[in-house]
PDB file of all heavy atoms in Angstrom:
ATOM      1  N   ARG A  68      12.024 -14.611   1.677  1.00 98.00           N
ATOM      2  CA  ARG A  68      10.708 -15.277   1.467  1.00 98.00           C
ATOM      3  C   ARG A  68      10.223 -15.184   0.073  1.00 98.00           C
ATOM      4  O   ARG A  68       9.690 -16.237  -0.435  1.00 98.00           O
ATOM      5  CB  ARG A  68       9.681 -14.697   2.480  1.00 98.00           C
ATOM      6  CG  ARG A  68       8.275 -15.394   2.372  1.00 98.00           C
ATOM      7  CD  ARG A  68       7.285 -14.744   3.252  1.00 98.00           C
ATOM      8  NE  ARG A  68       7.102 -13.283   3.045  1.00 98.00           N
ATOM      9  CZ  ARG A  68       6.189 -12.812   2.154  1.00 98.00           C
ATOM     10  NH1 ARG A  68       5.488 -13.616   1.462  1.00 98.00           N
ATOM     11  NH2 ARG A  68       6.084 -11.504   1.997  1.00 98.00           N
ATOM     12  N   THR A  69      10.402 -14.074  -0.566  1.00 98.00           N
ATOM     13  CA  THR A  69       9.707 -13.820  -1.842  1.00 98.00           C
ATOM     14  C   THR A  69      10.588 -14.054  -3.041  1.00 98.00           C
ATOM     15  O   THR A  69      10.050 -13.891  -4.137  1.00 98.00           O
ATOM     16  CB  THR A  69       9.001 -12.439  -1.881  1.00 98.00           C
ATOM     17  OG1 THR A  69      10.029 -11.440  -1.655  1.00 98.00           O
ATOM     18  CG2 THR A  69       7.971 -12.310  -0.866  1.00 98.00           C
ATOM     19  N   THR A  70      11.855 -14.275  -2.875  1.00 98.00           N
ATOM     20  CA  THR A  70      12.690 -14.445  -4.072  1.00 98.00           C
ATOM     21  C   THR A  70      13.600 -15.679  -3.790  1.00 98.00           C
ATOM     22  O   THR A  70      13.642 -16.261  -2.678  1.00 98.00           O
ATOM     23  CB  THR A  70      13.655 -13.213  -4.323  1.00 98.00           C
ATOM     24  OG1 THR A  70      14.765 -13.245  -3.435  1.00 98.00           O
ATOM     25  CG2 THR A  70      12.899 -11.926  -4.221  1.00 98.00           C
ATOM     26  N   ASN A  71      14.429 -15.971  -4.779  1.00 98.00           N
ATOM     27  CA  ASN A  71      15.395 -17.093  -4.639  1.00 98.00           C
ATOM     28  C   ASN A  71      16.729 -16.580  -4.063  1.00 98.00           C
ATOM     29  O   ASN A  71      17.740 -17.278  -3.980  1.00 98.00           O
ATOM     30  CB  ASN A  71      15.613 -17.800  -5.991  1.00 98.00           C
ATOM     31  CG  ASN A  71      16.181 -16.909  -7.044  1.00 98.00           C
ATOM     32  OD1 ASN A  71      16.231 -15.644  -6.879  1.00 98.00           O
ATOM     33  ND2 ASN A  71      16.584 -17.462  -8.141  1.00 98.00           N
ATOM     34  N   GLY A  72      16.730 -15.272  -3.649  1.00 98.00           N
ATOM     35  CA  GLY A  72      18.003 -14.755  -3.138  1.00 98.00           C
ATOM     36  C   GLY A  72      18.011 -14.692  -1.578  1.00 98.00           C
ATOM     37  O   GLY A  72      17.048 -15.166  -0.986  1.00 98.00           O
ATOM     38  N   LYS A  73      19.025 -14.019  -1.076  1.00 98.00           N
ATOM     39  CA  LYS A  73      19.138 -13.929   0.442  1.00 98.00           C
ATOM     40  C   LYS A  73      19.662 -12.521   0.696  1.00 98.00           C
ATOM     41  O   LYS A  73      20.537 -12.063  -0.067  1.00 98.00           O
ATOM     42  CB  LYS A  73      20.113 -14.901   1.013  1.00 98.00           C
ATOM     43  CG  LYS A  73      19.518 -16.226   1.397  1.00 98.00           C
ATOM     44  CD  LYS A  73      20.421 -17.025   2.237  1.00 98.00           C
ATOM     45  CE  LYS A  73      19.850 -18.429   2.640  1.00 98.00           C
ATOM     46  NZ  LYS A  73      18.476 -18.406   3.057  1.00 98.00           N
ATOM     47  N   GLY A  74      19.210 -11.914   1.757  1.00 98.00           N
ATOM     48  CA  GLY A  74      19.841 -10.624   2.167  1.00 98.00           C
ATOM     49  C   GLY A  74      18.792  -9.611   2.507  1.00 98.00           C
ATOM     50  O   GLY A  74      17.599  -9.751   2.217  1.00 98.00           O
ATOM     51  N   ILE A  75      19.295  -8.464   3.013  1.00 98.00           N
ATOM     52  CA  ILE A  75      18.446  -7.340   3.425  1.00 98.00           C
ATOM     53  C   ILE A  75      18.317  -6.319   2.282  1.00 98.00           C
ATOM     54  O   ILE A  75      19.323  -6.024   1.675  1.00 98.00           O
ATOM     55  CB  ILE A  75      19.117  -6.609   4.621  1.00 98.00           C
ATOM     56  CG1 ILE A  75      19.524  -7.589   5.770  1.00 98.00           C
ATOM     57  CG2 ILE A  75      18.216  -5.462   5.215  1.00 98.00           C
ATOM     58  CD1 ILE A  75      18.370  -8.199   6.530  1.00 98.00           C
ATOM     59  N   VAL A  76      17.075  -5.940   2.008  1.00 98.00           N
ATOM     60  CA  VAL A  76      16.827  -5.070   0.815  1.00 98.00           C
ATOM     61  C   VAL A  76      17.709  -3.771   0.903  1.00 98.00           C
ATOM     62  O   VAL A  76      18.311  -3.382  -0.102  1.00 98.00           O
ATOM     63  CB  VAL A  76      15.356  -4.679   0.741  1.00 98.00           C
ATOM     64  CG1 VAL A  76      15.071  -3.679  -0.382  1.00 98.00           C
ATOM     65  CG2 VAL A  76      14.537  -5.952   0.599  1.00 98.00           C
ATOM     66  N   SER A  77      17.748  -3.173   2.111  1.00 97.00           N
ATOM     67  CA  SER A  77      18.474  -1.897   2.223  1.00 97.00           C
ATOM     68  C   SER A  77      19.990  -2.047   2.140  1.00 97.00           C
ATOM     69  O   SER A  77      20.767  -1.075   1.992  1.00 97.00           O
ATOM     70  CB  SER A  77      18.121  -1.149   3.488  1.00 97.00           C
ATOM     71  OG  SER A  77      18.529  -1.987   4.545  1.00 97.00           O
ATOM     72  N   GLU A  78      20.452  -3.279   2.116  1.00 98.00           N
ATOM     73  CA  GLU A  78      21.895  -3.595   2.027  1.00 98.00           C
ATOM     74  C   GLU A  78      22.292  -4.117   0.626  1.00 98.00           C
ATOM     75  O   GLU A  78      23.417  -4.486   0.414  1.00 98.00           O
ATOM     76  CB  GLU A  78      22.290  -4.596   3.120  1.00 98.00           C
ATOM     77  CG  GLU A  78      22.187  -3.977   4.503  1.00 98.00           C
ATOM     78  CD  GLU A  78      22.410  -4.936   5.617  1.00 98.00           C
ATOM     79  OE1 GLU A  78      22.766  -6.132   5.334  1.00 98.00           O
ATOM     80  OE2 GLU A  78      22.276  -4.606   6.782  1.00 98.00           O
ATOM     81  N   LEU A  79      21.255  -4.161  -0.285  1.00 98.00           N
ATOM     82  CA  LEU A  79      21.514  -4.652  -1.674  1.00 98.00           C
ATOM     83  C   LEU A  79      21.276  -3.561  -2.674  1.00 98.00           C
ATOM     84  O   LEU A  79      20.390  -2.776  -2.556  1.00 98.00           O
ATOM     85  CB  LEU A  79      20.627  -5.861  -1.917  1.00 98.00           C
ATOM     86  CG  LEU A  79      20.941  -7.119  -1.095  1.00 98.00           C
ATOM     87  CD1 LEU A  79      19.721  -8.049  -1.059  1.00 98.00           C
ATOM     88  CD2 LEU A  79      22.166  -7.854  -1.745  1.00 98.00           C
ATOM     89  N   THR A  80      22.173  -3.503  -3.674  1.00 98.00           N
ATOM     90  CA  THR A  80      21.966  -2.545  -4.737  1.00 98.00           C
ATOM     91  C   THR A  80      20.840  -3.010  -5.689  1.00 98.00           C
ATOM     92  O   THR A  80      20.511  -4.165  -5.680  1.00 98.00           O
ATOM     93  CB  THR A  80      23.240  -2.374  -5.579  1.00 98.00           C
ATOM     94  OG1 THR A  80      23.498  -3.624  -6.240  1.00 98.00           O
ATOM     95  CG2 THR A  80      24.430  -1.972  -4.723  1.00 98.00           C
ATOM     96  N   LEU A  81      20.318  -2.083  -6.448  1.00 98.00           N
ATOM     97  CA  LEU A  81      19.312  -2.436  -7.449  1.00 98.00           C
ATOM     98  C   LEU A  81      19.846  -3.556  -8.378  1.00 98.00           C
ATOM     99  O   LEU A  81      19.085  -4.485  -8.741  1.00 98.00           O
ATOM    100  CB  LEU A  81      18.836  -1.215  -8.259  1.00 98.00           C
ATOM    101  CG  LEU A  81      17.717  -1.477  -9.210  1.00 98.00           C
ATOM    102  CD1 LEU A  81      16.434  -1.965  -8.402  1.00 98.00           C
ATOM    103  CD2 LEU A  81      17.341  -0.184  -9.963  1.00 98.00           C
ATOM    104  N   ASP A  82      21.088  -3.479  -8.879  1.00 98.00           N
ATOM    105  CA  ASP A  82      21.679  -4.454  -9.719  1.00 98.00           C
ATOM    106  C   ASP A  82      21.580  -5.837  -9.093  1.00 98.00           C
ATOM    107  O   ASP A  82      21.243  -6.791  -9.745  1.00 98.00           O
ATOM    108  CB  ASP A  82      23.149  -4.114 -10.005  1.00 98.00           C
ATOM    109  CG  ASP A  82      23.289  -3.130 -11.143  1.00 98.00           C
ATOM    110  OD1 ASP A  82      22.248  -2.797 -11.748  1.00 98.00           O
ATOM    111  OD2 ASP A  82      24.381  -2.752 -11.469  1.00 98.00           O
ATOM    112  N   ALA A  83      21.930  -5.891  -7.783  1.00 98.00           N
ATOM    113  CA  ALA A  83      21.904  -7.159  -7.142  1.00 98.00           C
ATOM    114  C   ALA A  83      20.498  -7.695  -6.980  1.00 98.00           C
ATOM    115  O   ALA A  83      20.182  -8.827  -7.219  1.00 98.00           O
ATOM    116  CB  ALA A  83      22.584  -7.024  -5.775  1.00 98.00           C
ATOM    117  N   LEU A  84      19.638  -6.820  -6.636  1.00 98.00           N
ATOM    118  CA  LEU A  84      18.160  -7.159  -6.399  1.00 98.00           C
ATOM    119  C   LEU A  84      17.574  -7.717  -7.726  1.00 98.00           C
ATOM    120  O   LEU A  84      16.750  -8.655  -7.726  1.00 98.00           O
ATOM    121  CB  LEU A  84      17.364  -5.955  -5.915  1.00 98.00           C
ATOM    122  CG  LEU A  84      17.664  -5.539  -4.458  1.00 98.00           C
ATOM    123  CD1 LEU A  84      16.978  -4.188  -4.161  1.00 98.00           C
ATOM    124  CD2 LEU A  84      17.115  -6.642  -3.493  1.00 98.00           C
ATOM    125  N   LYS A  85      17.962  -7.047  -8.861  1.00 98.00           N
ATOM    126  CA  LYS A  85      17.395  -7.448 -10.128  1.00 98.00           C
ATOM    127  C   LYS A  85      17.812  -8.894 -10.587  1.00 98.00           C
ATOM    128  O   LYS A  85      17.189  -9.433 -11.488  1.00 98.00           O
ATOM    129  CB  LYS A  85      17.870  -6.397 -11.229  1.00 98.00           C
ATOM    130  CG  LYS A  85      17.070  -5.115 -11.113  1.00 98.00           C
ATOM    131  CD  LYS A  85      15.645  -5.293 -11.604  1.00 98.00           C
ATOM    132  CE  LYS A  85      14.825  -4.046 -11.627  1.00 98.00           C
ATOM    133  NZ  LYS A  85      13.385  -4.330 -11.878  1.00 98.00           N
TER     134      LYS A  85
END
Side-chain angles (χ1 to χ4, degrees):
R68 179 181 61 87
T69 57
T70 78
N71 61 350
K73 269 196 185 313
I75 309 289
V76 176
S77 62
E78 294 173 1
L79 290 159
T80 62
L81 185 61
D82 275 356
L84 289 168
K85 283 288 183 189

